[in-house]
Amino acid sequence: MQDKAVIQHTFILEPIQQQRPRATRFGKSIRLYDPKRVKQFKQTIAEEAMLTYRGNPLTGSLAVTLVFYRPVQQSLSKVEKQRRIDGRHLPVVKPDLDNYIKSFLDALHGIYWQDDALITDLTASKRYGRQPRIEIEVKEIEND
């Protein structure tokens, strides 16, 4: 199998985790929806992705690499801040990495790929950074 880089982009915004959906009654049924903060995050990601990626949504097997950079807490000492930025102290705190992944991948549905079921390989990391951001690389996997 071969693969080729298709999409690389850095979203300059703080990662937001997927939260449990909220529910409201709609007649005799129940309507589920994302909390406001998650909905706004997904809209921002989708809008930026549409502005920067002009291609059609990918339809083949995909390998995706994600790095989520969290802000460093302001209350820490300069030494501890630098340890976190250098990667010597990793963010082993909530929110969980899988919740970051879920909200971010959902936002790109129909823009970078037709369906996130096409993602067969996924590598993700959670780190601290001076600038909160999300880096993504998408490779379309080609079979020989």
Side-chain angles (χ1 to χ4, degrees):
M1 289 195 308
Q2 291 181 330
D3 53 49
K4 59 180 182 174
V6 177
I7 302 165
Q8 287 185 317
H9 188 69
T10 299
F11 294 86
I12 307 295
L13 75 161
E14 186 173 339
I16 301 291
Q17 75 273 17
Q18 181 65 47
Q19 298 173 348
R20 294 190 190 281
R22 304 294 189 255
T24 186
R25 286 203 180 276
F26 190 74
K28 292 185 177 186
S29 62
I30 295 177
R31 183 178 153 254
L32 297 176
Y33 62 94
D34 279 329
K36 185 177 181 178
R37 187 170 177 223
V38 175
K39 182 179 178 183
Q40 289 174 337
F41 172 76
K42 288 179 180 181
Q43 286 175 340
T44 301
I45 294 294
E47 288 169 4
E48 185 172 334
M50 285 188 277
L51 288 173
T52 59
Y53 178 67
R54 300 283 186 205
N56 292 322
L58 302 173
T59 59
S61 299
L62 302 174
V64 176
T65 303
L66 300 169
V67 184
F68 297 93
Y69 289 92
R70 298 171 38 94
V72 178
Q73 300 90 328
Q74 293 300 314
S75 60
L76 300 173
S77 69
K78 288 182 182 180
V79 172
E80 182 57 26
K81 283 182 186 178
Q82 194 59 50
R83 288 182 69 220
R84 290 175 187 220
I85 290 168
D86 292 344
R88 291 181 282 152
H89 184 183
L90 299 175
V92 290
V93 295
K94 292 193 178 282
D96 299 346
L97 180 59
D98 61 323
N99 292 329
Y100 279 154
I101 294 167
K102 180 72 174 141
S103 65
F104 186 71
L105 293 183
D106 283 352
L108 297 171
H109 178 92
I111 302 168
Y112 284 177
W113 45 74
Q114 280 187 341
D115 192 304
D116 52 3
L118 297 170
I119 300 170
T120 58
D121 298 14
L122 178 64
T123 304
S125 305
K126 179 172 66 167
R127 299 290 186 262
Y128 287 113
R130 289 188 202 283
Q131 173 70 52
R133 64 190 183 278
I134 304 165
E135 296 175 353
I136 184 170
E137 179 180 83
V138 180
K139 293 181 181 180
E140 193 168 26
I141 301 171
E142 296 179 1
N143 293 321
D144 285 337

